[in-house]
Amino acid sequence: MIAIYGGTFDPVHFGHLRSAIELVEALGLSELRLMPSFKPPHRDRPTTTPVQRLEMLRLAVSNTNSLRIDDREILRQGPSYTIDTLKDLRVEIGEEVGLAMVVGFDAFAKLNTWHRWEELTDVAHLVVMERPGFPALQCHQTVLDWAENKWLNRLEDLQNAACGRIYRLRLSQLEISASFIRAQIADNKNINFLLPEGVIEYIGSNRLYRPLIPV
Ligand code: ATP
């Protein structure tokens, strides 16, 4: 089974990477693809380019065989809908191979806001990462109704189908977020041990996330 882990990765950090490794092991994946989105969600300046976010990801996973990067959304240049990306992937890997889209519980709770969201399970499974602080009660009722007959408890059942099911997983939660890292840098604080050293060096040499010096 192949799984897709999407995000902005602005920048990638150990919270992403630790959960990615745990996903590979917990789901017995042949491959986990980290897929940076083209659209930068953070409007505050200064910001990084999609290519810089991609380069930081490459540095982060260069020594980790089970983690791959899928750069199709960045290369497509323009906002892409998850449903289109998954359909693209489905064509590429064929009908038989298991494909799972990983989403945090916070994203799952408002899945009904995504473009053609009800079609997502026609092409892939959904793996929902539980996140503390987001109780099931906050999940939109339309999503709960739609998901009702799709939940699976046994991993074997997920592995035996190519798409169509929803599986919940609890992973380690490191208290790290990209916004915290950006704020630390803007404040001239030390960001060691929050993200890989290669990424820290890249951020430093490209002066990313620093306030612009007025001219
Ligand atoms: P920001 O702080 O800018 O919102 P972020 O750190 O949450 O960014 P994203 O790129 O938005 O990172 O997240 C991509 C995916 O990684 C999401 O599914 C999110 O739930 C998950 N994620 C982010 N941080 C962690 C963490 N510390 N532990 C586990 N999963 C995480």
Side-chain angles (χ1 to χ4, degrees), residues 8-16 42 131 173-185 191 194-195 209:
T8 35
F9 305 110
D10 191 22
V12 59
H13 54 68
F14 286 141
H16 301 129
H42 313 288
R131 301 194 73 178
Q173 294 288 318
L174 302 179
E175 267 295 311
I176 304 174
S177 68
S179 38
F180 175 72
I181 292 169
R182 294 193 302 273
Q184 294 297 101
I185 298 169
I191 53 164
L194 294 170
L195 64 174
Y209 311 115

Coordinates of all heavy atoms in Angstrom, one line a residue, residues 8-16 42 131 173-185 191 194-195 209:
T8 N 1.8 21.7 3.9 CA 2.6 22.8 3.3 C 4.0 22.7 3.6 O 4.9 23.1 2.9 CB 2.0 24.2 3.9 OG1 1.7 24.0 5.2 CG2 0.9 24.7 3.1
F9 N 4.4 22.1 4.7 CA 5.8 21.8 5.1 C 6.6 23.1 5.0 O 7.5 23.2 4.3 CB 6.4 20.7 4.2 CG 5.6 19.4 4.2 CD1 4.8 19.0 3.1 CD2 5.5 18.7 5.4 CE1 4.1 17.8 3.2 CE2 4.8 17.5 5.4 CZ 4.1 17.1 4.3
D10 N 6.2 24.1 5.8 CA 6.7 25.4 5.7 C 7.3 25.9 7.0 O 6.7 26.9 7.6 CB 5.6 26.4 5.2 CG 6.1 27.7 4.8 OD1 7.3 27.9 4.5 OD2 5.3 28.7 4.8
P11 N 8.3 25.3 7.5 CA 9.1 24.2 7.0 C 8.7 22.8 7.5 O 8.0 22.8 8.5 CB 10.6 24.5 7.5 CG 10.3 25.1 8.9 CD 9.0 25.8 8.7
V12 N 9.3 21.8 6.9 CA 9.1 20.4 7.4 C 9.8 20.3 8.8 O 10.8 21.0 9.0 CB 9.6 19.4 6.4 CG1 11.1 19.6 6.1 CG2 9.4 17.9 6.9
H13 N 9.2 19.6 9.7 CA 9.8 19.4 11.0 C 9.7 18.0 11.6 O 9.1 17.2 10.9 CB 9.2 20.5 12.0 CG 7.7 20.5 12.0 ND1 7.0 19.4 12.6 CD2 6.8 21.3 11.6 CE1 5.7 19.7 12.5 NE2 5.5 20.8 11.9
F14 N 10.2 17.8 12.8 CA 10.2 16.4 13.3 C 8.8 15.9 13.7 O 8.6 14.7 13.8 CB 11.1 16.4 14.6 CG 12.6 16.4 14.2 CD1 13.5 17.1 15.1 CD2 13.0 15.7 13.2 CE1 14.8 17.1 14.8 CE2 14.4 15.7 12.8 CZ 15.3 16.4 13.6
G15 N 7.8 16.8 13.9 CA 6.4 16.4 14.1 C 5.9 15.7 12.8 O 5.3 14.6 12.9
H16 N 6.2 16.3 11.6 CA 5.8 15.6 10.4 C 6.6 14.3 10.2 O 6.0 13.2 9.9 CB 6.2 16.5 9.2 CG 5.5 17.8 9.1 ND1 6.3 19.0 8.9 CD2 4.2 18.2 9.2 CE1 5.4 20.0 8.9 NE2 4.2 19.6 9.0
H42 N 0.1 30.7 4.1 CA 0.4 31.7 5.0 C 0.7 33.0 4.3 O 1.6 33.1 3.5 CB 1.7 31.3 5.9 CG 1.5 30.0 6.4 ND1 0.7 29.7 7.4 CD2 2.1 28.8 6.0 CE1 0.7 28.4 7.7 NE2 1.6 27.8 6.8
R131 N -5.7 13.6 16.6 CA -4.9 14.6 17.2 C -5.6 15.0 18.5 O -6.8 15.3 18.5 CB -4.8 15.8 16.3 CG -4.1 15.5 15.0 CD -3.7 16.7 14.2 NE -2.5 17.3 14.8 CZ -1.9 18.4 14.3 NH1 -2.4 19.0 13.2 NH2 -0.9 18.9 14.9
Q173 N 2.6 12.4 19.2 CA 2.3 13.8 18.9 C 3.5 14.6 19.5 O 3.6 14.8 20.7 CB 1.0 14.3 19.5 CG -0.2 13.6 18.9 CD -0.5 14.1 17.5 OE1 -0.4 15.3 17.2 NE2 -0.8 13.2 16.6
L174 N 4.3 15.1 18.7 CA 5.4 16.0 19.2 C 4.8 17.4 19.1 O 4.1 17.8 18.2 CB 6.6 15.9 18.3 CG 7.2 14.5 18.1 CD1 8.4 14.6 17.2 CD2 7.6 14.0 19.5
E175 N 5.0 18.2 20.2 CA 4.5 19.5 20.2 C 5.3 20.5 19.4 O 5.9 21.4 19.9 CB 4.5 20.0 21.7 CG 3.3 19.7 22.5 CD 2.1 20.5 22.0 OE1 2.2 21.7 21.8 OE2 1.0 19.8 21.9
I176 N 5.3 20.2 18.1 CA 6.0 21.1 17.2 C 5.1 21.5 16.0 O 4.3 20.7 15.5 CB 7.2 20.3 16.5 CG1 8.1 19.7 17.6 CG2 8.0 21.2 15.6 CD1 9.2 18.8 17.1
S177 N 5.1 22.8 15.6 CA 4.4 23.2 14.4 C 5.3 24.1 13.6 O 6.2 24.8 14.2 CB 3.1 23.9 14.8 OG 3.4 25.1 15.4
A178 N 5.0 24.2 12.3 CA 5.8 25.0 11.5 C 5.6 26.5 11.9 O 6.5 27.3 11.8 CB 5.3 24.8 10.0
S179 N 4.4 26.9 12.3 CA 4.2 28.3 12.7 C 5.0 28.6 13.9 O 5.5 29.7 14.0 CB 2.7 28.6 12.9 OG 2.0 27.5 13.5
F180 N 5.2 27.7 14.9 CA 6.0 27.9 16.0 C 7.5 28.2 15.6 O 8.1 29.1 16.0 CB 5.9 26.7 17.0 CG 6.9 26.9 18.2 CD1 6.6 27.8 19.2 CD2 8.0 26.1 18.3 CE1 7.5 27.9 20.3 CE2 8.9 26.2 19.4 CZ 8.6 27.1 20.4
I181 N 7.9 27.3 14.6 CA 9.3 27.5 14.2 C 9.5 28.8 13.5 O 10.5 29.5 13.7 CB 9.7 26.3 13.2 CG1 9.7 25.0 14.0 CG2 11.0 26.6 12.5 CD1 9.8 23.7 13.2
R182 N 8.6 29.2 12.6 CA 8.7 30.5 11.9 C 8.7 31.7 13.0 O 9.5 32.6 12.8 CB 7.5 30.7 11.0 CG 7.5 29.7 9.8 CD 6.5 30.2 8.7 NE 5.2 30.3 9.2 CZ 4.3 29.3 9.2 NH1 4.6 28.1 8.8 NH2 3.1 29.5 9.7
A183 N 7.9 31.5 14.0 CA 7.8 32.6 15.0 C 9.2 32.6 15.8 O 9.7 33.7 16.0 CB 6.7 32.3 16.0
Q184 N 9.8 31.5 16.1 CA 11.0 31.5 16.8 C 12.1 32.2 15.9 O 12.9 32.9 16.4 CB 11.5 30.0 17.0 CG 10.6 29.3 18.0 CD 10.6 29.9 19.4 OE1 9.7 30.6 19.7 NE2 11.6 29.7 20.2
I185 N 12.1 31.8 14.6 CA 13.2 32.4 13.8 C 13.0 34.0 13.7 O 13.9 34.7 13.8 CB 13.1 31.8 12.3 CG1 13.4 30.3 12.4 CG2 14.1 32.5 11.4 CD1 13.1 29.6 11.1
I191 N 16.4 27.3 16.9 CA 15.4 26.3 16.5 C 16.0 24.8 16.5 O 15.4 23.9 15.9 CB 14.8 26.6 15.1 CG1 15.9 26.9 14.1 CG2 13.9 27.8 15.2 CD1 15.4 26.8 12.7
L194 N 14.2 20.9 16.7 CA 12.8 20.9 16.2 C 12.7 20.4 14.8 O 11.6 19.9 14.4 CB 12.3 22.4 16.2 CG 12.1 23.1 17.6 CD1 11.8 24.5 17.4 CD2 11.0 22.4 18.4
L195 N 13.8 20.4 14.1 CA 13.8 20.0 12.7 C 15.2 19.5 12.3 O 16.1 19.8 13.0 CB 13.2 21.0 11.8 CG 13.9 22.4 11.6 CD1 13.1 23.2 10.5 CD2 13.9 23.2 12.8
Y209 N 12.3 33.1 6.7 CA 11.4 33.4 7.8 C 11.9 34.6 8.7 O 11.4 34.8 9.8 CB 11.2 32.2 8.7 CG 10.8 31.0 7.9 CD1 11.6 29.8 7.9 CD2 9.6 30.9 7.2 CE1 11.2 28.7 7.2 CE2 9.2 29.8 6.5 CZ 10.0 28.7 6.5 OH 9.7 27.6 5.8

